[in-house]
Amino acid sequence: MMNYLRTNMSLVIKTIEMHAGGGGVRIVQSGYPKIIGDTLHDKLQYAQKNLDHLRKMLTHEPRGSNRLHGIVQVEHDNPEADMAILFLYTEGYSNFCGHATIGLGRYAVDHGIVRRVSPETAIKIQCPTGLVTAHVEYENGRAGAVRFECVPAFVYATDLMINMVDYGDIKYDISVGGSFYIYTNIKQFGLDLVTSSAADIKATAHKMMKAVGDTITMTHPVDDQPAVIGGVYFFSGPLASLPDTINEICIFFETVCRSPCGSGSCGLLALLHHKGLIKEGDVRRFVNSKTQSVFSGRVVKQVKVKDTPAVIPEISGKAYYTGECTFFCEQDDPQPSFLIK
C-alpha cells in the first residue's frame, strides 16, 4: 500500500470472496472491531447500533452490491455451536442466508476453523435464526460440496387470495424457511421465469410484497414478535404439478437472487411436504432460471415449532473462491458508501 495512503486510512478490512450458486459471499477475515455482547442477539444489536457504517462499507457501493451477503464471525454463546456469525447485506442484517452458509461451510473447513474429518466434516453454526448444522465433504486435503440442515421450516398460511391492480386475483402461500416468503406461480402475472426481464420480475415481487403486507399482520409462532415478508419465491405452473427439477427465481427485498435461494427453497420444501406433494427423503433440484445454478434439497424429518408442524429441511450445493480483498476507507472520502435503489 502506498505510504501516503497508510497515513490516511480510517480502517482496513480483509475478506475472502466466494460464490455459491452465483450468490456472492464476502467473509471478513480481519479488521472488524470486536462485536460485544453476552448473546448473539446482543451482538447483533451492538453491530446495528455501533458498527453499521462497516456493514454499509462492505455491502453498499462502491465496494459492494445487493448481489452479495457478508459474514462476520463472532464468539458463540450456544454451547453446542462450533462458531457463530452475523449475516450482512445491503438492507441490514438477515436472520439467515442459505448460499452464504454453503460458502461459509467450505471456508471453515479449508481454513481449519473446525477439526477436519474425512469423508465429511460437521459444523454447528449459531445464526440469528438458530443453530444450523453444515456437513462438508473433505477428501485429499480439500473441502467440497456442502449440505446444511436448516432451522425448522413451516407453513404459515396456504391457498390465500389477493386482488391486485393490473393482475386480478392472485393465489399464493406463505412459508417460512429462516425468513417469511410468498410462494406463487409467476404465470398468474403474465410473466415467464426465463424470458421476462429480472427488472420486471423484481418490480412485480415488490408490488406483491406491499399488497400482502398491507393485508396481513403476521407474528412468529416462537416469540409472537411481528414478522414481515422477506421475499417472493416464483415458480412456474401449479404447485401440485411441479417436477422433481423446479425452475424458480426468488426476490429477497431489493435483491434478485443469483443462487436458487437456500432459505427460500427450505420454505418450499416445507410447503410441498405440508400439501402432501413430497415425503421425507424425496430430493428436489432447484434451478435459478436466470443463472441456471443448481441446489438440491430434501426433508430430513418432521418436528414442531411450539404447536406448529414443521420440518427440518436440508439444502446441498457447492461454493467456489473468487478472490481475496483488502478494503480501506480514506478519512476524507465524502462517499464511503451509498445505495441507489
Side-chain angles (χ1 to χ4, degrees):
M1 190 184 299
M2 294 170 283
N3 288 334
Y4 75 88
L5 283 178
R6 291 181 185 276
T7 62
N8 198 39
M9 291 299 103
S10 60
L11 77 162
V12 176
I13 296 177
K14 294 187 177 183
T15 67
I16 287 291
E17 307 291 300
M18 305 180 76
H19 85 87
V25 186
R26 176 164 290 168
I27 301 175
V28 173
Q29 284 196 299
S30 65
Y32 223 83
K34 182 178 177 62
I35 299 178
I36 299 169
D38 293 332
T39 68
L40 187 59
H41 179 70
D42 293 339
K43 293 180 176 70
L44 174 58
Q45 289 188 317
Y46 180 88
Q48 290 172 324
K49 182 178 180 180
N50 299 283
L51 302 175
D52 207 45
H53 61 291
L54 300 184
R55 174 191 66 82
K56 292 176 181 177
M57 173 185 163
L58 291 176
T59 62
H60 290 190
E61 295 183 57
R63 299 169 189 83
S65 76
N66 62 10
R67 298 171 179 83
L68 63 82
H69 257 71
I71 291 178
V72 177
Q73 187 174 348
V74 298
E75 294 178 4
H76 60 82
D77 59 271
N78 186 329
E80 296 183 46
D82 297 306
M83 60 191 305
I85 58 171
L86 297 179
F87 295 103
L88 322 176
Y89 74 116
T90 52
E91 301 297 316
Y93 301 81
S94 61
N95 288 328
F96 182 70
C97 176
H99 83 261
T101 299
I102 290 172
L104 177 67
R106 182 180 176 191
Y107 170 87
V109 171
D110 280 338
H111 288 77
I113 294 174
V114 294
R115 187 174 68 88
R116 305 178 181 113
V117 178
S118 295
E120 193 174 63
T121 300
I123 313 170
K124 292 187 179 296
I125 306 167
Q126 184 182 5
C127 306
T129 196
L131 192 66
V132 173
T133 302
H135 303 270
V136 185
E137 291 179 359
Y138 183 71
E139 292 286 2
N140 301 317
R142 185 173 185 268
V146 179
R147 59 185 178 91
F148 67 84
E149 295 173 15
C150 194
V151 296
F154 59 91
V155 173
Y156 188 84
T158 61
D159 301 317
L160 300 172
M161 297 292 294
I162 190 168
N163 187 273
M164 295 181 61
V165 176
D166 299 329
Y167 304 113
D169 289 336
I170 300 295
K171 185 178 180 180
Y172 68 100
D173 304 285
I174 298 175
S175 191
V176 185
S179 294
F180 283 69
Y181 288 93
I182 294 168
Y183 294 83
T184 189
N185 180 358
I186 199 169
K187 291 183 177 180
Q188 297 178 99
F189 302 90
L191 297 175
D192 181 83
L193 287 172
V194 176
T195 60
S196 296
S197 71
D200 286 345
I201 294 172
K202 179 179 176 180
T204 303
H206 285 172
K207 292 177 184 178
M208 182 86 183
M209 281 190 278
K210 184 178 187 311
V212 172
D214 290 344
T215 305
I216 296 178
T217 300
M218 300 185 301
T219 57
H220 199 287
V222 171
D223 53 18
D224 293 325
Q225 292 298 307
V228 298
I229 296 295
V232 178
Y233 191 105
F234 288 116
F235 50 85
S236 185
L239 195 64
S241 60
L242 291 181
D244 291 350
T245 296
I246 299 168
N247 290 296
E248 55 80 47
I249 193 162
C250 185
I251 311 300
F252 181 77
F253 288 111
E254 292 295 323
T255 302
V256 179
C257 287
R258 269 58 180 174
S259 79
C261 190
S263 57
S265 296
C266 285
L268 182 59
L269 287 169
L271 183 61
L272 293 171
H273 186 272
H274 175 85
K275 289 178 175 282
L277 301 174
I278 61 171
K279 61 183 183 298
E280 291 176 33
D282 288 348
V283 175
R284 292 293 181 268
R285 297 173 75 249
F286 306 103
V287 181
N288 183 294
S289 297
K290 295 301 183 185
T291 65
Q292 296 302 300
S293 58
V294 180
F295 290 161
S296 63
R298 67 188 181 102
V299 169
V300 176
K301 62 180 179 181
Q302 300 180 58
V303 293
K304 282 195 173 182
V305 177
K306 280 197 171 180
D307 295 326
T308 302
V311 300
I312 298 296
E314 180 186 87
I315 300 294
S316 302
K318 288 187 175 182
Y320 300 89
Y321 294 101
T322 58
E324 54 184 349
C325 292
T326 300
F327 292 105
F328 48 78
C329 183
E330 295 190 73
Q331 295 174 6
D332 57 351
D333 187 344
Q335 295 171 300
S337 63
F338 57 88
L339 183 63
I340 297 176
K341 296 184 180 181

